[in-house]
Amino acid sequence: MHIFIRISITSILLAWLITGCQPKTSDWAAQYPHTQNGSFAASVSSSGNYAVVSSLYHGVSLWDLNSNGAIYNWYQTPKDQPFSLFNDGDTNAQADNNFVFATAIAHDDSHAVLADKTNFSLWDIKTGQNQGYWQVRQSKVVYRTKTINGATKQLSIYDVVDENKCLNPSSEKNEHCVVVGNIRAIDVSNEGKHILIGKSNGVVVHINTTTGRRLEFLGHQQVLFDDEQKPFHINNAINSVALSPNGLYALSGSSDQSAYLWSTKTGQVIYKFQHHNRVVQVALDAQARFAFTADTGSQASIWDLTTGNLVSQLQYVNRQEVFSFARFSHNGKMLVTGAPTRKLSLWDVQTGKQIKEWLVSPRKNSRPASAVVYSAAFINNDTQITSESSSGLNEVWDIK
């Protein structure tokens, strides 16, 4: 009898420690449907005035969150639309319809960028007009072959002949044009003057849309050596990127367990933030006060951009916490994060302690009930948060 009581009390205390310290609520202050069947991607502008939402049946919609009205419908790379190249594609390329899975809005609410695996585009928010289509660079490769029972079979493995361009591939030599590095993350600066792209091959590309200047950051492509001093490559895919509002500084997070803050003018590293697991989320404070980097393990860090020193580590109960989004408040005192587990969390920047946590609404009739938090922004003088999730809902949350 006593054993049963002790176990029960222990269970209650554990439950209180886990749930009581992290109050969750699904009580939103306002809710607006933006898609009927969920969304693939979404971004809320830093001001909270706009959101771009990518959905299955309606392309990408730009929403005015103040009036909750859809302003424009955009379609990534419509058929037969010629690319604008900036020396980053095939001059004969023709666009086709592809799945938009990455979006971003400039800090000044002027422009938005959309991306699928190989194409990206820039849009003027005021006019709704397209400002350019681009295709990521293709490389010339030769696929390996293997003879099986006297028949030659082409393998999916290839050797790169020319990484930077693919001109006149020879069918006799089994040469092909392929995209070696797919797009994984994207961001855009004020006035749409700078675009930042993170790719699956560890390359981060900065493009000046005014001059056409293109810079590749290769800091995540370092070659390591084994005990016999033989070179080997690790998984260095870029998982998240952030661009300063003026486009002069970039933050990139990679599966190589590191995040770099670097200059888009020179490509020089300013700070390296080291982790012990894959870095999957990064964010820059718009006023250049802080940076946020988080991995797939237990490290989620806020850094001082004037010194490069650690400000705080987010303190959470779970052994592992994966973030799908992060943004600093306008006053620099709070950080909001999203997760693939419906969690929208508010943190104190200086201490790393959690202030509040909400659960965004799941998609209707989804089993199990789930949703990914894509984006969020502080509104009304940092007293509320507006969010977009894979459920296709825009929701507003009261901080106090």
Side-chain angles (χ1 to χ4, degrees), residues 222-263:
Q222 60 180 326
V223 178
L224 303 179
F225 296 89
D226 60 21
D227 294 337
E228 298 178 355
Q229 294 304 302
K230 293 181 179 179
F232 68 94
H233 292 271
I234 60 175
N235 179 5
N236 55 8
I238 306 301
N239 300 313
S240 181
V241 297
L243 194 58
S244 63
N246 61 13
L248 300 181
Y249 300 95
L251 181 63
S252 51
S254 167
S255 292
D256 69 356
Q257 304 180 1
S258 67
Y260 286 100
L261 179 72
W262 49 279
S263 166

Side-chain angles (χ1 to χ4, degrees), residues 315-334:
Q315 301 176 29
Y316 40 83
V317 174
N318 297 340
R319 183 174 298 178
Q320 292 181 318
E321 192 80 46
V322 176
F323 298 102
S324 55
F325 173 80
R327 174 171 276 151
F328 290 95
S329 62
H330 302 290
N331 61 19
K333 296 181 179 180
M334 295 174 287

Side-chain angles (χ1 to χ4, degrees), residues 35-64:
T35 65
Q36 293 181 348
N37 297 286
S39 59
F40 297 139
S43 293
V44 180
S45 65
S46 179
S47 65
N49 291 328
Y50 299 100
V52 286
V53 181
S54 174
S55 61
L56 179 61
Y57 300 109
H58 303 287
V60 179
S61 299
L62 175 69
W63 287 81
D64 183 329

Side-chain angles (χ1 to χ4, degrees), residues 34-180:
H34 282 175
T35 65
Q36 293 181 348
N37 297 286
S39 59
F40 297 139
S43 293
V44 180
S45 65
S46 179
S47 65
N49 291 328
Y50 299 100
V52 286
V53 181
S54 174
S55 61
L56 179 61
Y57 300 109
H58 303 287
V60 179
S61 299
L62 175 69
W63 287 81
D64 183 329
L65 297 184
N66 295 310
S67 63
N68 191 43
I71 307 173
Y72 303 113
N73 280 334
W74 295 327
Y75 293 90
Q76 167 77 4
T77 57
K79 202 150 185 77
D80 300 327
Q81 167 68 46
F83 286 114
S84 178
L85 295 171
F86 289 158
N87 192 31
D88 198 26
D90 178 1
T91 55
N92 297 316
Q94 294 292 315
D96 55 13
N97 295 303
N98 284 296
F99 166 58
V100 172
F101 72 95
T103 59
I105 300 177
H107 180 72
D108 63 355
D109 286 356
S110 63
H111 291 77
V113 285
L114 317 177
D116 55 49
K117 288 184 178 181
T118 58
N119 310 307
F120 59 101
S121 56
L122 177 67
W123 302 82
D124 187 308
I125 287 179
K126 184 177 181 180
T127 65
Q129 296 299 306
N130 172 258
Q131 302 294 297
Y133 290 92
W134 298 272
Q135 183 183 55
V136 296
R137 175 174 292 167
Q138 291 184 325
S139 302
K140 183 186 289 186
V141 304
V142 174
Y143 282 93
R144 296 181 184 181
T145 58
K146 184 177 182 180
T147 301
I148 302 176
N149 298 326
T152 301
K153 180 181 179 181
Q154 180 173 293
L155 305 177
S156 59
I157 303 172
Y158 55 75
D159 297 305
V160 178
V161 176
D162 191 330
E163 184 176 0
N164 297 317
K165 59 182 179 296
C166 186
L167 300 176
N168 304 317
S170 171
S171 57
E172 295 180 357
K173 296 179 181 179
N174 199 26
E175 293 177 343
H176 299 268
C177 295
V178 301
V179 174
V180 173

